[in-house]
Amino acid sequence: RLNELATTPSNPFDFAGKPCLVVLTPEGAQRLAAGQTPGPDEVRAFNAVCTHVECTVKYRPGTGDIFCNCHDGVYDLSGHNVSGPPPRPLEAYHVTLRGDRGQEEIVVSLQT
């Protein structure tokens, strides 16, 4: 659920047999804290497997990036590799919010 995402920033879960990471951007977190629903691009989902040596990445809300601690790989919140050894961006998934305001479910699906 969306209202739980702000308190669980490091949340890999199984999606199609791979770990998936759902991220609430800093702007989305501000909206949520103000009682508003984040915009459609403020909740993002990625394959949580680093493109370097397949370690699991984690979201770092303090720095607003996605980090692989195996070899200090860093991705931005669009999944693009920005530093370290990762050779490719993370695979991004499509996110849809559904349900009543304040109780929205996060639905993750493959991008089309």
Side-chain angles (χ1 to χ4, degrees):
R1 295 201 179 274
L2 180 61
N3 61 354
E4 298 167 350
L5 189 55
T7 59
T8 57
S10 186
N11 59 6
F13 66 93
D14 183 33
F15 180 70
K18 300 175 188 175
C20 178
L21 181 69
V22 177
V23 174
L24 181 62
T25 66
E27 298 81 12
Q30 288 176 348
R31 286 186 202 280
L32 194 60
Q36 302 169 351
T37 301
D41 193 38
E42 294 174 337
V43 181
R44 301 176 184 170
F46 304 98
N47 179 329
V49 176
C50 180
T51 60
H52 179 228
V53 291
E54 299 187 4
C55 296
T56 302
V57 299
K58 296 193 178 201
Y59 174 53
R60 298 190 300 186
T63 55
D65 60 19
I66 299 169
F67 181 70
C68 178
N69 65 1
C70 288
H71 297 103
D72 295 328
V74 179
Y75 300 87
D76 65 18
L77 293 186
S78 294
H80 296 109
N81 44 324
V82 294
S83 71
R88 295 177 308 285
L90 295 171
E91 180 182 6
Y93 300 126
H94 182 73
V95 174
T96 304
L97 301 179
R98 72 173 179 207
D100 296 330
R101 187 174 176 171
Q103 296 296 316
E104 298 93 338
E105 290 180 324
I106 300 168
V107 180
V108 177
S109 59
L110 296 175
Q111 281 190 313
T112 57

